[in-house]
Amino acid sequence: MDAMALRRRRLRGALFEGLCALASFAGVGILLAILIYIVRQGAGALDLAFFTATPKPVGETGGGIANAIVGTLLIVAVAAAIALPIGIGAGIYLAEFGRGRFADLVRLVADVLTGVPSIVIGILAYELVVVTMHRFSALAGGVALAALMLPPLVRTTEEILRLVPGEYREAALALGAPRWRTVLTVIVPAATGGLITGVMLALARAAGETAPLLFTAFGNNFWNLNPGQPTAALPLQIYQYVISPYDDWHRQAWAAALVLVTIVFVLSALARLATRSTRRGNQ
Amino acid sequence: MLDTFVTTLAEAQRAGRRPRRWWSPRLADRVFAGAVAAFAAAIVLLTVLIAWELWRGSAAARHAFGFGFITSTQWDPVAGVFGAAPFIYGTVVTAIVALLLAGPIGIGAAIFLTELAPRAARGPVGFLVEMLAAIPSVIYGLWALFVLVPVVRTHLQPFLAENLGFLPLFSGPKYGVGLLSAALVLTVMILPTVTAISQSVLAAVPRGQREAAHALAATRWEVITGVSLPFARSGIAGALILGLGRALGETMAVTMVIGNRPGISPSLFALGDTMASVIANQFNEADSALFTSVLVEIALLLFVVTVLLNLGARLLVWRLTPHAGKR
């Protein structure tokens, strides 16, 4: 009787454990399939002109996305210039001075802001920059991406600075260093690797954003290096190619997708390498 | 403790023995603390600014339509009549279907990865999940439009119509694009979020509790359902809510496969539109101040809903693991 019950319990367990295994294989499988598909479709469509030329007019095949790659770099650079000082500064505040209600509020707000849809943030940048300047621009796109990068950057900076051993802090203070010098010359350098990781992940996230750029950076079929003018961006270019009815543009969308995924993955991989080297350095 | 002691000591010495300078190190410290506190305040300010701009930008629409805007199904930009109900419907339906699919799969995968999988497999799979969360939304959209939608049209929709066609849910013309495809691409997109957070809360279950259950002769599955899952309950709820929040606000991939035709239909095969995708599609084309204001009001609704959801989710996840879900 008992043996029967035990067998039934074991069977039940095996069944559900099997389902769990199936779920994870299905999840990982689908996602891997997407990646492999992008690489296969994209690799066939890549050539040198793709990286050196600007888009051809409708109807002509060929052309490239060089201006969109540069545009993405420009927009992300603007975003980084705004978000990095504020984000790292706020992270320092939370890690080094962050006790009490105000700090808890900042943490909560940063976490909640991370979940606000990027398209909503795009509207903020539109109202603040596009409406004031009366035109779309890389600057507006950069402001949108900066607002998106900021919350996660603050939280990762805090987490990373907290990993620096307390002895470093105490040793510096015991030597008579004031607090600001302790933070800037001891704690931040000790956490550089981790900080680079946080920054890289934030940049990777920003580089792939599309929605907030639709009505801020807007896109551009030509070269533009002026942050005050409408600017092409890789994800925008992909979107425009995908929703177009032309086969050659679809082919280029796959190629551009492969380029974008590669950029995002390289940034993420660099991020991991940076953490690994600091961990080793600290040992 | 120690550092405040050291600072106080240094300050006492300085005060006693040295002449006062106009820039005491204490002043420099105060300036530094003030500066970084100002950066921190900038985050709070940014949130207030978003709320304020959305409120201000939607003033015209709020005055024109009042609360009826949320329930009205009329959407005729040419006539200047706007109601948000079709978009709210599309957003809610696609997000909930996505959550119903991604929830069990994600939790199942998290259970497998924390409790069942061989230790050697956890690192690589975890890395893969993180990478997949980093794939931009527009790329999921590209894949969905050219790979998923044809499969839905030629296989999934005929299959559902044949076997479950008596439900209004699976009736009507089979376009491929529409609510069903949008929900499926959302499922794939929120899967990494649900899996990663569930995994981190399950990993926080104390070893002792598991061992105690094993010692009482529970099978491995009974330990999972009797100890691990109840312990991680609120954290998993948080993971689901965060996934839901992501699904509600997801824009590009949904815009590319949902068909972009506002309407309320009981069928998942129908074309639809969501709050995020109507903004993405129409914002640049909005030709009147009222139209723009209407779209800003839709953004305001989206903002309020996602803020409330995330607030709830954070509180749930925080209660369990202070460090979970920071990504």
Side-chain angles (χ1 to χ4, degrees), chain A residues 151-219:
Chain A
L153 192 61
V154 171
R155 297 292 276 142
T156 38
T157 304
E158 181 194 356
E159 304 258 346
I160 287 153
L161 291 181
R162 280 186 187 279
L163 292 181
V164 177
E167 289 87 348
Y168 286 31
R169 215 164 270 132
E170 285 150 15
L173 292 166
L175 290 171
R179 246 187 128 156
W180 65 271
R181 283 197 68 174
T182 308
V183 171
L184 291 183
T185 61
V186 177
I187 296 176
V188 170
T192 309
L195 289 178
I196 292 175
T197 302
V199 169
M200 290 288 187
L201 289 177
L203 292 180
R205 186 182 171 206
E209 279 293 345
T210 319
L213 298 183
L214 289 170
F215 35 83
T216 52
F218 193 70

Side-chain angles (χ1 to χ4, degrees), chain A:
Chain A
M1 203 56 202
D2 271 3
M4 281 275 287
L6 185 62
R7 246 183 64 176
R8 207 174 324 125
R9 281 164 56 201
R10 289 230 170 100
L11 265 173
R12 224 170 82 92
L15 175 70
F16 282 103
E17 285 176 8
L19 285 178
C20 286
L22 199 66
S24 52
F25 294 144
V28 171
I30 290 173
L31 296 162
L32 264 183
I34 296 177
L35 272 189
I36 291 168
Y37 201 84
I38 292 169
V39 172
R40 272 193 22 212
Q41 292 281 318
L46 281 179
D47 52 25
L48 187 65
F50 197 69
F51 294 101
T52 54
T54 55
K56 285 269 173 65
V58 175
E60 285 181 48
T61 56
I65 49 155
N67 59 330
I69 297 177
V70 173
T72 285
L73 293 179
L74 176 65
I75 296 167
V76 171
V78 171
I82 301 169
L84 295 192
I86 301 179
I88 293 179
I92 289 176
Y93 173 79
L94 291 180
E96 298 295 321
F97 305 91
R99 295 182 203 105
R101 279 208 186 147
F102 173 65
D104 282 338
L105 175 73
V106 172
R107 281 184 196 106
L108 186 67
V109 166
D111 276 356
V112 167
L113 211 52
T114 310
V116 170
S118 57
I119 192 139
V120 174
I121 308 273
I123 289 192
L124 171 78
Y126 175 85
E127 301 266 356
L128 284 184
V129 186
V130 178
V131 171
T132 347
M133 286 174 63
H134 300 294
R135 63 167 176 268
F136 301 110
S137 62
L139 183 65
V143 167
L145 295 190
L148 274 173
M149 282 166 71
L150 201 48
L153 192 61
V154 171
R155 297 292 276 142
T156 38
T157 304
E158 181 194 356
E159 304 258 346
I160 287 153
L161 291 181
R162 280 186 187 279
L163 292 181
V164 177
E167 289 87 348
Y168 286 31
R169 215 164 270 132
E170 285 150 15
L173 292 166
L175 290 171
R179 246 187 128 156
W180 65 271
R181 283 197 68 174
T182 308
V183 171
L184 291 183
T185 61
V186 177
I187 296 176
V188 170
T192 309
L195 289 178
I196 292 175
T197 302
V199 169
M200 290 288 187
L201 289 177
L203 292 180
R205 186 182 171 206
E209 279 293 345
T210 319
L213 298 183
L214 289 170
F215 35 83
T216 52
F218 193 70
N220 191 333
N221 273 341
F222 305 97
W223 286 102
N224 171 48
L225 291 173
N226 179 351
Q229 292 294 331
T231 307
L234 207 41
L236 274 180
Q237 201 75 36
I238 295 173
Y239 178 61
Q240 278 151 12
Y241 281 172
V242 171
I243 60 172
S244 79
Y246 311 108
D247 280 342
D248 193 54
W249 279 11
H250 292 167
R251 182 185 64 81
Q252 297 202 18
W254 284 107
L258 179 59
V259 173
L260 183 58
V261 167
T262 309
I263 292 177
V264 169
F265 278 15
V266 165
L267 282 174
S268 309
L270 282 179
R272 292 193 149 239
L273 279 179
T275 326
R276 203 166 293 162
S277 64
T278 357
R279 280 207 193 118
R280 214 169 283 151
N282 280 351
Q283 274 164 8

Side-chain angles (χ1 to χ4, degrees), chain B residues 175-194:
Chain B
Y175 300 109
V177 291
L179 294 172
L180 182 63
S181 290
L184 289 178
V185 69
L186 282 178
T187 306
V188 175
M189 293 181 72
I190 65 175
L191 201 52
T193 312
V194 174

